[in-house]
Amino acid sequence: MDGFLSLAASNLGSPLILSFVLGVVAALGRSDLVFPEAAAKALSIYLLFAIGMKGGVSVAEHGIDLRLGTSVLTGVILSAAMPLVAFWLLQIMTRLDRVNAAAVSAHYGSISIVTFVAGTSVLESAGMTSDGFMVAVAAAMEAPAILSALWLISRGGSGATVDADLWREILLNGSIVLLVGAFAIGMIVGKEGMAEIESFFVAPFKGALCLFLLDMGLVAGRGLRRSRDVLTPGLLAFGLLMPLIGGMAGAMGGLLIGLPTGSLFLMMILAASASYIAVPAAMRVAVPEADPGIYLTLSLGITFPFNLTLGLPIYLAIARAISGG
Amino acid sequence: MDGFLSLAASNLGSPLILSFVLGVVAALGRSDLVFPEAAAKALSIYLLFAIGMKGGVSVAEHGIDLRLGTSVLTGVILSAAMPLVAFWLLQIMTRLDRVNAAAVSAHYGSISIVTFVAGTSVLESAGMTSDGFMVAVAAAMEAPAILSALWLISRGGSGATVDADLWREILLNGSIVLLVGAFAIGMIVGKEGMAEIESFFVAPFKGALCLFLLDMGLVAGRGLRRSRDVLTPGLLAFGLLMPLIGGMAGAMGGLLIGLPTGSLFLMMILAASASYIAVPAAMRVAVPEADPGIYLTLSLGITFPFNLTLGLPIYLAIARAISGG
Amino acid sequence: MDGFLSLAASNLGSPLILSFVLGVVAALGRSDLVFPEAAAKALSIYLLFAIGMKGGVSVAEHGIDLRLGTSVLTGVILSAAMPLVAFWLLQIMTRLDRVNAAAVSAHYGSISIVTFVAGTSVLESAGMTSDGFMVAVAAAMEAPAILSALWLISRGGSGATVDADLWREILLNGSIVLLVGAFAIGMIVGKEGMAEIESFFVAPFKGALCLFLLDMGLVAGRGLRRSRDVLTPGLLAFGLLMPLIGGMAGAMGGLLIGLPTGSLFLMMILAASASYIAVPAAMRVAVPEADPGIYLTLSLGITFPFNLTLGLPIYLAIARAISGG
Amino acid sequence: MQTHKAKQVAITIEAPMERRLRAAIEEAGVTGYSILPVLGGSGRSGPWSAEGQVGLAGGMVQVSCIIRPDRLDGLLESVFSVVERHIGVVTVTDCDVLRAERF
Amino acid sequence: MQTHKAKQVAITIEAPMERRLRAAIEEAGVTGYSILPVLGGSGRSGPWSAEGQVGLAGGMVQVSCIIRPDRLDGLLESVFSVVERHIGVVTVTDCDVLRAERF
Amino acid sequence: MQTHKAKQVAITIEAPMERRLRAAIEEAGVTGYSILPVLGGSGRSGPWSAEGQVGLAGGMVQVSCIIRPDRLDGLLESVFSVVERHIGVVTVTDCDVLRAERF
Ligand SMILES: Nc1ncnc2c1ncn2[C@@H]1O[C@H](COP(=O)(O)O)[C@@H](O)[C@H]1O
Ligand SMILES: Nc1ncnc2c1ncn2[C@@H]1O[C@H](COP(=O)(O)O)[C@@H](O)[C@H]1O
Ligand SMILES: Nc1ncnc2c1ncn2[C@@H]1O[C@H](COP(=O)(O)O)[C@@H](O)[C@H]1O
Ligand code: NA
Ligand code: NA
Ligand code: NA
């Protein structure tokens, strides 16, 4: 508990979280502070590329090991299975119809790469390490949840179908391509190749992440202001409970395959976090009937801030406790 | 004098000023060189965040001291009072009507954060320090001038009113929120927290400022090309005289409250500089009758370049002379 | 040959080239990964400014020397003469009409600054140096080719005329102004002035170039996908042969004026590379009848990737062989 | 396909006035509108361009509302109260819409 | 100058649907269209803004086609099949075009 | 509200031609126009997109002028002299404007 409190305090007092809070406060106070769309997109490309490459370099360093395979597999299973849990919970806790419940659950099976990145920087601050291949796990977990959700919907008789085009869009969406591509580049160039470019991709990374989190805070705050009425107590409770359940699922998966503390923590984060970029876009195409006000508010307005502020120290404390790290 | 000449020469020969000059020359020569709007906005967010945070960290280092309060108060008084001086001068020196004169004077009471930032980097090059709280003074000086100007207009019987919405827009405008928010973050995270992100916010700062000044030069040059006819000799003289008067007012205020040389210099800059972002936006809303061609040309086309090139060394020489620094 | 193979391998395995390849692959796979236009433009401003300034600083270091003049002159002659060679080749190898052939040849006389920059970073990795003034040569080679091409067209009786406006647009186009302006700034501020800003302009340069090449790969890949049908075998052959011819012409010019290995290599690159920014814009204005699908596909889709991947090591091997470096 | 008569009202206005214009439109009972960026232009107050600008003051946006014809007058009055003292252009165009039940 | 009657069809649709809409337009035999950015707006699904957004999901674009009047029905039907289940607005306006041979 | 008949002329043209088009418009005595960005599109010269582009060559812009009907012919002639050899689309639409004294 003591360890958790000091972790939580140091997390809440980090420039990353404070930048996010500043964004939320500015948006709720209706400041006219905004990030240009192009700048937000450019920052996200930078962050994805950097995190992917770092993962690849680290794998090149330590050699590919069997755990890469088992970890990716575990991630895929988690991503595919968690929507079922989320769907079931939503039917108990809320009055969402089948389509909306399925759409929401797709988000929770998938992942938030920014939460993942914030986790890696918590690890760094704590002087802990993690496996580079967790980036590949992150990429692998983006899509399966979408398919589970679409299956849930089609079982209900609604006509959500996935045509070839949508398949390609889901599997080759920008963030997966960047993560996987940069991961591959990192593996090829290794530590040496990285050395030439690390004053762009490594040193300034955390500061750039501050600005990105400021933007995320602005967007999340604006979303919250606009969608307050959507948030029933049931939905709110789901948005706080589901990440904890996901985190535990991630922990169990990670323990099963013997992940060390740092990677276990990241696996928990992946399972606990909810998508707000790739999945919403897929839902708009495949399930236009589902209300984005619900799934975006939940994943970006509730679960993302929760994970960022309280979730990270909770998951780290748990990861340490159960892995003996 | 000798000291001033060498200061002036080293200022004019710095990459910051030369970048600005390049922008002006390119615009006057009608090159098609342009900065994307989104990039300019992103750069300004970066600069405001960085300067705010650095100020906060420095305050965290040296402890809050009474002078923070007296300096902010002095700044607010200067910002509120200078428009009256400017208005009176404009009525003597030019033929502007009441509304345009008031609108112009609002700009001169308020501040230009880029001039301030350029000043801090002149200090740095000269190996001098300043108080971190001067950033808070800068933020505090943005708005009061607007109210003075609106009061001047309403006294004249014209219907410029400030509704609740405009109040919020003025006080929570993006640059104030960023400066104050980042200042607060800096105070919370302190030197230690800053260490993790300084290779993004500190080391590349000056280079980023070069690009931003290049853009400012392009915008200022384009503005000058378009608004040449607006510039009567009286207006031009005002645009060069008013910053000197403001600078002296800042110097007196700073001396009164016992600011050390570096901070005195910054106070002079704040008083001497004229707004070209926050105030114009407020004027467009509250006083649409005022001609932006006049106030933007003066503040961005005349006073900004003057301060940047000649003003900075002049103010520094004076600050040194009167404070015995 | 051995040297060449290892050069080629190290070039192909560098993060720069791999980023470009990632972009091409993503575009050909129709991923939705895109760079915001504003971010691409901002990156290009950064790169041009940085490369220009570095050149200027290096000239300030080593003093201006006669070779600056002779090199610029050689560059201008190459730029003006190569379109004639290209035009003649195109008439032999392809069925392009006069106007399209002239438009294409303008691109090959002019230069690709990104290829140049990639070349400087190959030099760096190889621990070799080059003359700072080669940046000025690059700037000087942008425009002459356009005039040669317009002359070729007008000789054919078609009415491509260059009015004063177009002249200004060609000579003061953004990239020339940035290169030359930053070069001048670099010469003025010298190594000392550069020191203050090099953690923005020097250290992160290569990493930023990676992202830019990723974008170039995306654009080139998209272009290829869209313009496949345009590419006859003749055109394709031209797009691979012409850079080699250009490179040899550059080598001869460089040898004649006694350039050392590094600069000789850069001169070869300038001659070998084809424009895809400045020249296309000029062609759209002056020769709207020419099909951009042809000249852009050739210069950006064929020659640029060729130079980047195979051309650079080839030119470096040749430069070393003939200059005894 | 079945289409229905409608009016498209396009208001080009300074960016700092956007929030007020939106409020006025909503006050007129119109909840559907789109906002398009404007890169630059020229008018009685001279030419301008958004390029390289940091502040809102320089820029303009175009707000476009598709409405049922009978709502036109209410909307125009509400809009006029905002643009009255400000620079900006208001145009009304006849158009047909698919899915009229939405308006 | 000589002008010809034409129709302008403007479709405001969510960005993730853009690719499908383009395909539908091309299927209807229409090869000319332009895509304009939309910064934000409001509708039955509430207000939105592109500012600071990273994903496509939030944004919309406006696709504008100028066509010969006799192609209108085919185009609308094709477009409708895409927008049917989705949010978005479709308007048709009469216009005149220069250089009608191009359409 | 009182409105007046006007014409809206919209010219979609390649970005490198923008400066010349503006000059032509001003030569025709028209001082009011707005410039809107175009993100991409398709036409006889194939599809294009501004995304990731650095140069002007690839992009297009849309210039929109609201004018008094009696100025239409002069404007079209002036515009035509610029677009004649270039790709681009010119449309004319009837509209009503508020505050006609401005045009
Ligand atoms: N006749 C017009 N057609 C299109 N846009 C216009 C027109 N007049 C003004 N505008 C736009 O509105 C802005 C302000 O116009 P003004 O109030 O006349 O200065 C201009 O800069 C243009 O962007
Ligand atoms: N009446 C309208 N006029 C203009 N744009 C509209 C209108 N209705 C909807 N839109 C645009 O279409 C988006 C989605 O509308 P809706 O489907 O009603 O939520 C809105 O956010 C607007 O950008
Ligand atoms: N019928 C049309 N409707 C709307 N925009 C068009 C149309 N035709 C062409 N355009 C635009 O003009 C550009 C050039 O057209 P084109 O000259 O036909 O290649 C296209 O890429 C579109 O952006
Ligand atoms: Na998850
Ligand atoms: Na001031
Ligand atoms: Na060349």
Side-chain angles (χ1 to χ4, degrees):
Chain A
M1 195 62 205
D2 205 55
F4 165 70
L5 284 183
S6 89
L7 265 177
S10 102
N11 187 50
L12 289 176
S14 85
L16 294 176
I17 306 305
L18 292 171
S19 298
F20 179 76
V21 171
L22 174 58
V24 172
V25 169
L28 291 180
R30 295 204 270 154
S31 163
D32 67 357
L33 177 61
V34 288
F35 249 70
E37 190 187 352
K41 286 184 172 158
L43 263 177
S44 87
I45 291 175
Y46 167 82
L47 295 172
L48 288 167
F49 201 88
I51 194 84
M53 190 139 52
K54 268 191 274 186
V57 168
S58 148
V59 167
E61 263 332 75
H62 301 105
I64 297 200
D65 103 45
L66 229 156
R67 284 180 313 147
L68 191 162
T70 55
S71 301
V72 166
L73 192 68
T74 308
V76 169
I77 294 172
L78 280 168
S79 173
M82 278 187 304
L84 309 181
V85 179
F87 186 72
W88 174 78
L89 262 183
L90 283 164
Q91 295 203 308
I92 296 179
M93 296 175 67
T94 71
R95 294 188 185 165
L96 290 190
D97 60 31
R98 182 170 203 90
V99 166
N100 275 302
V104 168
S105 50
H107 292 72
Y108 283 82
S110 185
I111 59 130
S112 148
I113 198 74
V114 180
T115 316
F116 176 82
V117 167
T120 61
S121 100
V122 164
L123 278 184
E124 242 168 60
S125 303
M128 300 169 65
T129 60
S130 62
D131 294 302
F133 59 65
M134 289 307 293
V135 168
V137 178
M141 288 178 75
E142 286 224 28
I146 298 175
L147 303 181
S148 293
L150 295 181
W151 175 78
L152 281 170
I153 292 171
S154 68
R155 254 191 16 145
S158 181
T161 51
V162 187
D163 58 10
D165 251 16
L166 184 56
W167 267 110
R168 205 199 38 251
E169 281 168 26
I170 292 174
L171 295 176
L172 291 185
N173 97 54
S175 62
I176 296 185
V177 167
L178 266 179
L179 270 183
V180 173
F183 184 80
I185 293 180
M187 281 192 58
I188 299 175
V189 305
K191 207 167 182 175
E192 237 175 299
M194 189 69 174
E196 314 172 34
I197 51 179
E198 71 190 357
S199 45
F200 182 74
F201 285 116
V202 179
F205 184 83
K206 211 166 188 174
L209 185 55
C210 275
L211 283 193
F212 192 70
L213 283 170
L214 172 65
D215 177 49
M216 301 265 324
L218 288 167
V219 172
R222 216 161 51 206
L224 275 179
R225 225 180 59 223
R226 283 182 184 162
S227 315
R228 257 166 321 199
D229 346 327
V230 163
L231 276 182
T232 62
L235 278 175
L236 186 64
F238 173 83
L240 299 173
L241 181 60
M242 187 62 210
L244 292 171
I245 296 178
M248 292 315 297
M252 282 187 286
L255 272 186
L256 260 176
I257 57 172
L259 287 181
T261 316
S263 302
L264 187 67
F265 170 57
L266 293 182
M267 184 66 96
M268 290 179 73
I269 292 176
L270 288 175
S273 67
S275 169
Y276 41 79
I277 296 179
V279 177
M283 291 299 120
R284 289 317 295 150
V285 171
V287 200
E289 302 79 18
D291 180 356
I294 298 174
Y295 51 69
L296 276 177
T297 306
L298 270 180
S299 74
L300 190 55
I302 304 297
T303 300
F304 179 69
F306 169 74
N307 276 333
L308 209 58
T309 53
L310 296 178
L312 292 182
I314 294 178
Y315 308 142
L316 184 51
I318 296 179
R320 276 178 170 163
I322 62 179
S323 73
Chain B
M1 196 62 203
D2 205 54
F4 165 71
L5 284 183
S6 90
L7 266 176
S10 102
N11 187 52
L12 289 175
S14 84
L16 295 176
I17 307 305
L18 291 172
S19 299
F20 179 77
V21 171
L22 174 58
V24 172
V25 169
L28 292 181
R30 294 205 270 154
S31 162
D32 68 356
L33 177 60
V34 286
F35 249 70
E37 190 188 351
K41 287 184 170 157
L43 263 179
S44 87
I45 291 175
Y46 167 82
L47 296 173
L48 287 166
F49 201 87
I51 195 84
M53 191 137 54
K54 268 191 273 186
V57 168
S58 148
V59 167
E61 264 331 77
H62 301 104
I64 297 199
D65 106 42
L66 228 155
R67 285 179 313 149
L68 190 162
T70 54
S71 301
V72 165
L73 191 68
T74 307
V76 169
I77 293 173
L78 281 169
S79 172
M82 278 186 303
L84 309 182
V85 179
F87 185 72
W88 175 76
L89 263 183
L90 283 163
Q91 295 203 307
I92 297 178
M93 297 174 68
T94 70
R95 293 188 185 165
L96 290 190
D97 59 31
R98 180 170 204 90
V99 165
N100 274 303
V104 168
S105 50
H107 292 72
Y108 284 82
S110 185
I111 59 131
S112 147
I113 199 72
V114 180
T115 316
F116 177 82
V117 167
T120 62
S121 101
V122 164
L123 279 183
E124 243 167 58
S125 305
M128 298 170 66
T129 60
S130 62
D131 295 301
F133 60 65
M134 289 308 293
V135 169
V137 177
M141 288 179 74
E142 287 224 28
I146 298 175
L147 304 181
S148 293
L150 294 181
W151 175 76
L152 281 170
I153 292 171
S154 68
R155 252 189 21 142
S158 180
T161 53
V162 186
D163 58 10
D165 252 17
L166 184 56
W167 267 110
R168 205 197 39 251
E169 281 168 27
I170 292 174
L171 295 175
L172 291 186
N173 96 52
S175 63
I176 296 185
V177 166
L178 266 179
L179 270 184
V180 173
F183 183 80
I185 293 179
M187 281 192 57
I188 299 176
V189 305
K191 208 167 181 176
E192 239 175 297
M194 189 69 175
E196 315 172 34
I197 51 180
E198 69 190 359
S199 46
F200 182 73
F201 285 117
V202 179
F205 185 83
K206 211 166 188 172
L209 184 55
C210 275
L211 283 193
F212 192 70
L213 282 170
L214 172 64
D215 175 49
M216 300 264 326
L218 288 168
V219 172
R222 216 160 51 205
L224 274 179
R225 224 181 58 223
R226 283 181 184 162
S227 314
R228 257 166 321 198
D229 345 327
V230 163
L231 278 182
T232 61
L235 277 175
L236 186 64
F238 172 84
L240 299 173
L241 180 60
M242 188 61 211
L244 293 170
I245 295 179
M248 292 316 297
M252 282 186 285
L255 271 186
L256 259 176
I257 58 170
L259 288 181
T261 316
S263 303
L264 187 67
F265 171 55
L266 293 181
M267 183 66 96
M268 289 179 73
I269 291 177
L270 289 174
S273 67
S275 169
Y276 41 79
I277 297 180
V279 176
M283 291 299 119
R284 289 317 295 148
V285 172
V287 199
E289 302 79 17
D291 180 356
I294 299 174
Y295 51 68
L296 276 177
T297 307
L298 270 180
S299 73
L300 190 55
I302 304 298
T303 301
F304 179 69
F306 170 74
N307 276 331
L308 210 57
T309 52
L310 296 179
L312 292 182
I314 294 180
Y315 308 142
L316 185 51
I318 296 180
R320 277 178 169 162
I322 62 179
S323 74
Chain C
M1 196 62 203
D2 205 53
F4 165 71
L5 283 183
S6 89
L7 264 177
S10 100
N11 188 48
L12 288 175
S14 84
L16 294 176
I17 307 306
L18 292 171
S19 299
F20 179 77
V21 171
L22 174 57
V24 172
V25 169
L28 291 180
R30 294 206 270 155
S31 163
D32 67 356
L33 178 60
V34 288
F35 248 70
E37 190 188 352
K41 287 184 170 156
L43 264 177
S44 86
I45 291 175
Y46 167 82
L47 296 172
L48 288 166
F49 201 88
I51 195 84
M53 192 139 50
K54 269 191 274 188
V57 168
S58 146
V59 167
E61 265 330 77
H62 301 104
I64 297 200
D65 106 44
L66 228 156
R67 286 180 310 149
L68 192 161
T70 54
S71 301
V72 166
L73 192 69
T74 308
V76 168
I77 294 172
L78 281 168
S79 172
M82 279 187 303
L84 309 182
V85 178
F87 186 72
W88 174 76
L89 263 183
L90 283 164
Q91 296 202 308
I92 297 178
M93 298 175 67
T94 71
R95 296 189 184 167
L96 290 190
D97 60 29
R98 180 169 203 92
V99 166
N100 275 303
V104 168
S105 50
H107 293 72
Y108 283 83
S110 186
I111 59 131
S112 148
I113 198 74
V114 179
T115 315
F116 176 82
V117 168
T120 61
S121 98
V122 164
L123 279 184
E124 245 168 58
S125 304
M128 298 170 66
T129 60
S130 63
D131 294 302
F133 59 66
M134 288 307 293
V135 169
V137 178
M141 287 178 75
E142 287 223 28
I146 298 175
L147 303 181
S148 293
L150 295 182
W151 174 77
L152 281 170
I153 292 171
S154 68
R155 253 190 19 144
S158 180
T161 52
V162 186
D163 57 9
D165 252 15
L166 185 55
W167 267 109
R168 208 198 36 252
E169 281 167 27
I170 293 174
L171 294 176
L172 291 186
N173 97 52
S175 62
I176 297 185
V177 167
L178 266 178
L179 270 185
V180 173
F183 184 80
I185 293 180
M187 282 191 57
I188 298 175
V189 304
K191 207 168 183 175
E192 237 176 298
M194 189 69 174
E196 315 173 33
I197 51 178
E198 72 190 356
S199 45
F200 182 73
F201 285 116
V202 179
F205 184 83
K206 212 166 187 172
L209 184 56
C210 274
L211 284 193
F212 192 70
L213 282 169
L214 172 64
D215 176 49
M216 300 264 324
L218 288 168
V219 172
R222 217 160 51 205
L224 275 178
R225 225 181 57 224
R226 284 183 182 158
S227 314
R228 258 167 320 201
D229 346 327
V230 164
L231 277 182
T232 61
L235 277 175
L236 186 64
F238 173 83
L240 300 173
L241 180 60
M242 187 62 211
L244 292 170
I245 295 179
M248 293 316 297
M252 282 186 286
L255 272 186
L256 259 177
I257 58 172
L259 287 181
T261 315
S263 303
L264 187 67
F265 171 55
L266 293 181
M267 183 66 97
M268 290 179 73
I269 293 177
L270 289 174
S273 67
S275 169
Y276 40 79
I277 297 180
V279 176
M283 290 300 120
R284 290 316 295 149
V285 172
V287 199
E289 303 78 19
D291 180 357
I294 299 175
Y295 51 69
L296 275 177
T297 306
L298 270 181
S299 74
L300 189 56
I302 304 299
T303 301
F304 178 70
F306 169 75
N307 276 333
L308 209 57
T309 53
L310 296 178
L312 292 182
I314 294 179
Y315 307 141
L316 185 51
I318 297 179
R320 276 178 170 163
I322 63 179
S323 73
Chain D
M1 300 236 10
Q2 171 77 3
T3 59
H4 301 80
K5 295 267 161 252
K7 296 278 181 182
Q8 163 161 2
V9 180
I11 307 137
T12 304
I13 198 170
E14 294 170 287
M17 294 301 297
E18 184 192 313
R19 196 185 288 201
R20 284 167 182 79
L21 180 61
R22 291 167 82 142
I25 291 173
E26 280 159 27
E27 243 167 58
V30 173
T31 54
Y33 55 83
S34 293
I35 300 176
L36 277 69
V38 184
L39 288 182
S42 186
R44 293 176 312 164
S45 37
W48 64 276
S49 155
E51 277 155 351
Q53 296 283 0
V54 170
L56 278 174
M60 304 193 84
V61 294
Q62 181 170 317
V63 180
S64 156
C65 315
I66 317 294
I67 49 167
R68 288 205 319 260
D70 57 348
R71 299 197 155 213
L72 181 62
D73 271 335
L75 178 60
L76 286 187
E77 246 146 61
S78 206
V79 162
F80 188 69
S81 72
V82 173
V83 297
E84 194 179 2
R85 290 169 64 214
H86 291 268
I87 66 176
V89 178
V90 182
T91 63
V92 182
T93 315
D94 289 317
C95 66
D96 298 294
V97 291
L98 281 190
R99 307 200 283 182
E101 68 286 0
R102 298 169 49 93
F103 296 92
Chain E
M1 300 234 12
Q2 172 77 1
T3 60
H4 300 81
K5 296 266 159 254
K7 297 276 181 184
Q8 162 161 2
V9 180
I11 307 137
T12 305
I13 198 170
E14 295 171 287
M17 295 301 296
E18 183 192 313
R19 196 184 288 201
R20 286 168 182 78
L21 179 61
R22 292 166 81 140
I25 291 173
E26 280 158 27
E27 243 167 59
V30 173
T31 54
Y33 55 83
S34 292
I35 300 175
L36 277 68
V38 184
L39 288 182
S42 186
R44 291 177 313 166
S45 39
W48 65 276
S49 155
E51 277 156 351
Q53 297 282 0
V54 170
L56 277 175
M60 304 193 84
V61 293
Q62 181 172 314
V63 180
S64 156
C65 315
I66 316 294
I67 49 166
R68 286 206 320 259
D70 58 347
R71 299 195 156 214
L72 182 62
D73 270 336
L75 177 61
L76 287 186
E77 245 146 63
S78 204
V79 162
F80 188 70
S81 72
V82 173
V83 297
E84 194 178 1
R85 290 169 65 213
H86 290 269
I87 66 175
V89 178
V90 182
T91 62
V92 182
T93 314
D94 289 316
C95 65
D96 298 293
V97 290
L98 283 190
R99 307 200 282 182
E101 69 286 0
R102 299 169 49 94
F103 296 91
Chain F
M1 302 239 7
Q2 171 77 2
T3 59
H4 300 80
K5 296 264 160 258
K7 297 277 182 185
Q8 162 160 4
V9 180
I11 307 137
T12 305
I13 198 169
E14 293 170 289
M17 293 302 294
E18 183 192 314
R19 197 185 287 202
R20 285 168 181 76
L21 179 60
R22 291 166 81 141
I25 290 174
E26 281 158 26
E27 242 168 60
V30 173
T31 55
Y33 55 82
S34 293
I35 300 175
L36 277 69
V38 184
L39 288 182
S42 186
R44 292 177 311 166
S45 37
W48 64 276
S49 155
E51 277 156 352
Q53 297 282 1
V54 169
L56 278 175
M60 304 193 85
V61 293
Q62 181 172 314
V63 180
S64 157
C65 314
I66 318 294
I67 49 166
R68 286 205 322 259
D70 57 348
R71 300 196 155 213
L72 182 61
D73 270 335
L75 177 61
L76 286 185
E77 245 146 63
S78 205
V79 162
F80 187 70
S81 72
V82 173
V83 298
E84 195 179 1
R85 288 169 66 213
H86 292 269
I87 67 177
V89 178
V90 182
T91 63
V92 181
T93 315
D94 288 317
C95 66
D96 298 294
V97 291
L98 282 189
R99 309 200 281 181
E101 69 285 0
R102 299 169 50 91
F103 297 92

